[in-house]
Amino acid sequence: MDQQVRVRFAPSPTGPLHIGGVRTALYNYLFARQNGGAMILRIEDTDQTRFVPGAEQYIIEALDWLGIKFDEGVHIGGPYGPYRQSDRKAMYKQYADQLLRDGWAYYAFDRPEALDDKRKEYEAQKKTFQYDCNTRETMENSLSLPAEEVQRRLESGEPYVVRFKFPADLDITVHDLIRGEVTMNSNLLDDKVLFKSDGMPTYHLANIVDDHSMLITHVIRGEEWLPSAPLHVMLYRAFGWEETMPRFAHLPLLLKPEGNGKLSKRDGDRLGFPVFPLDWHDPKSGELSSGYRERGYRPEAVVNMLALLGWNPGTEQELFTMEELIAQFSIEHISKSGAKFNVEKAKWFNHEYMQQLSDAETADLFLPQLKEHGITVEENAAEEHDYQHSTFSRQFVEKVCGMMKERITFPSELWETCCYFFEAPTEYDPAAIKKRWKEGMPTHMGKVIEILNTVPFEYEAIHKALLDDYIVGNGLNMGQVMNSLRLAVVGKTVGPDMLTLVMTIGKEETIRRVQRAVEKIGDVN
Ligand code: GLU
C-alpha cells in the first residue's frame, strides 16, 4: 500500500478513559509511527445523553502524560477537521439522505412506547425482539406505510429515526487483521439507527462518514466493536466507498486478573489497583477513581505493561522503550484471546522504571515528602547534613536516593524507606529489642562509641576496629551486636550495610543515636 497510513483514536467523552482504551490508543500510535503515518484524535460525542464534562480534557491529558502523541486532532487541529463530531453535525444529514434515496435506509416512526410494547410481547414468548428484515414490515416505517402517509408525517414534523436496511439473508464478511475472516448473516443483524430527526447522527453513521472523509486506512479498536463491523462494512458498500474501506483490527479484551470477564472499575476498587490513567473526580457523584499517575506509576511503566497485554514480541524481552515498541510492534503478534491484567506485573514494571531514574530525578520526587516532614533541603548547603536543624544538602538527598532506590516500587515509599537518614528514630522495635538487645549491650554500645571517637572515621578502619578486633576478637555474637547497633541507629532491623549507613549519617549523629538508645532501652533482657 503506497497510501499514507492514517489511524484514529476515537473515544466518546462519557467518563474517564479506561485503561483498555489507553491500550487501544497506544497500539494505534505504535502502528502509525512504525509506518510513518498519521495519528488522529477524534472525539465521538454524538450521544449527548452520555456526555460528561471534563472527559475530553481528561483523555487529552492522559495520553499526553503517557507520551502518546497526535498529528491531528480535536486539541491541535489539522487538515481534516473539525475533529469533534458535534462540530461536524451539519455534514451528516446529506449522507443519511443519500442512503434513503438509494434504498439503503428507511424512516421509522415507532414511538419508544411502541418499541417497548413490542419487546415485552416477544419476551412473553421467551423471544427477543429485533428490528430487522423479518420484523420491519410489521412496524411503523417508510417500508410499511403508504408513501403519502410517510410524506405527511415528515411534513408535520413527527419525530423519526433513519434505520439501515439490511438486505435479507446476506453473508457479510469482515476481514480482520487479527481474527481473519469473520462472517455474519444479515438475518441476525439489527437495522441499526443511523440518524435522528433532531439532526444528530448515531455513532455508526458518524464513524463511517468520518473515517472515510478523514482518509483513515486502518481501524484498530476494541473487540466490543466486532459485532458492529458487518454494519460498517455494509455502510461502506452502500456509500460506494468499498475500494477505500479501512482495514480492521479488533483488539482482544483486557480481562480481570482471574481471567473471567472484562476488566472493570469495580475490579480495580476490589483489588486495589487503578483502571484509569489519571485520577478522576466524577463531576456528578463527586466520587474519586484513582489513576496510575497519582499512584506513582511512571508513564514508561504503564506504556510497557499495556504494550504486552495483548501483544508479544515473540522473544523473551520484557522491557521496551517507546522507540523499541515502535520498531518491534506488529499486528500479527496481537493475540486473539483476552489478556489477563496482572497487578504484580504492573508493579514489577514500575520498580524497573524507578531504577532507571537518575538519583537527581528520584530526589525531585522525594523533595515534597521531605518538606512535609519538616526537613529542609538546601541546594548548596555547606554541610551534607545538619541534624540539629533538620537541614540537608541536595547532594545528600541524591546520595540517599542512589543508595535506596532499588528498594522502592513507588515514590510514595521513599520517606518510609529512607526516613532514618534524615531523623533519629523515636521508637525502637520491641520485637527486635527482645531478640537482639541482650545483656551487656549497653557496654558493647559504649565500645562502639569509643571506637568511633578514636579510630579514623573511615570504613576500613571502623570495620577492623569494631567487627574484626572487638566483635570477632572477643568471640562476641556478630549478629547481636551489629543488629543492636542497627536498632539504635534505625529503630528497626532494616536498612543498607550498617557501616555504609554510619559513614553516611556521620560520626556525631551515630554517636548521638547510640547514646540515646542506651538511655532509652537500657539494660533489658
Ligand atoms: N467511539 C467509539 C468508542 O468510544 C469508537 C469505536 C471505534 O473506534 O470505531 O469506543
Side-chain angles (χ1 to χ4, degrees), residues 198-309:
D198 65 2
M200 263 306 199
T202 62
Y203 154 73
H204 301 288
L205 179 68
N207 186 271
I208 273 37
V209 165
D210 288 350
D211 280 350
H212 174 75
S213 49
M214 294 179 182
L215 309 185
I216 299 303
T217 56
H218 295 77
V219 167
I220 303 170
R221 62 183 174 190
E223 187 180 69
E224 62 272 28
W225 298 103
L226 189 59
S228 301
L231 168 64
H232 298 174
V233 167
M234 286 306 289
L235 281 168
Y236 283 102
R237 196 175 297 175
F239 283 122
W241 298 338
E242 240 174 332
E243 287 273 289
T244 56
M245 179 168 76
R247 311 195 59 188
F248 292 102
H250 288 93
L251 306 174
L253 292 177
L254 275 193
L255 303 175
K256 295 175 192 298
E258 311 87 89
N260 50 349
K262 196 173 155 180
L263 182 69
S264 74
K265 179 174 158 327
R266 248 167 282 126
D267 299 313
D269 298 339
R270 182 171 57 92
L271 299 166
F273 63 88
V275 287
F276 299 114
L278 316 177
D279 271 3
W280 168 257
H281 298 267
D282 189 277
K284 278 205 202 100
S285 66
E287 189 196 356
L288 170 75
S289 302
S290 77
Y292 280 86
R293 181 177 65 182
E294 289 77 4
R295 278 285 179 94
Y297 278 88
R298 306 295 309 154
E300 301 85 354
V302 178
V303 162
N304 199 148
M305 163 193 85
L306 286 177
L308 293 175
L309 278 176

Side-chain angles (χ1 to χ4, degrees), residues 155 290 313 328 350 374 430 457 485 511:
E155 277 163 14
S290 77
Q328 297 190 38
N350 210 54
F457 193 66
L485 176 57
I511 291 173

Side-chain angles (χ1 to χ4, degrees), residues 317-334:
Q317 186 177 348
E318 288 196 284
L319 293 173
F320 290 87
T321 62
M322 190 70 103
E323 291 312 311
E324 288 172 317
L325 288 172
I326 291 168
Q328 297 190 38
F329 181 74
S330 69
I331 291 186
E332 294 74 54
H333 278 135
I334 294 176

Side-chain angles (χ1 to χ4, degrees), residues 123-194:
E123 265 164 35
Q125 302 169 44
K126 302 235 178 313
K127 290 196 284 188
T128 313
F129 174 69
Q130 186 165 275
Y131 210 118
D132 61 18
C133 57
N134 298 310
T135 60
R136 60 193 170 213
E137 293 292 340
T138 68
M139 307 300 289
E140 275 185 63
N141 54 49
S142 56
L143 302 173
S144 63
L145 297 168
E148 316 79 65
E149 172 65 8
V150 172
Q151 202 52 36
R152 192 194 60 72
R153 290 191 184 205
L154 291 176
E155 277 163 14
S156 71
E158 194 173 315
Y160 65 82
V161 296
V162 175
R163 286 182 180 270
F164 187 72
K165 186 181 169 197
F166 269 111
D169 198 21
L170 177 72
D171 278 338
I172 305 163
T173 299
V174 180
H175 297 271
D176 188 273
L177 294 169
I178 298 168
R179 276 144 228 280
E181 288 193 352
V182 180
T183 301
M184 269 182 241
N185 189 276
S186 63
N187 287 354
L188 300 171
L189 298 169
D190 207 9
D191 282 353
K192 282 270 188 281
V193 173
L194 301 177

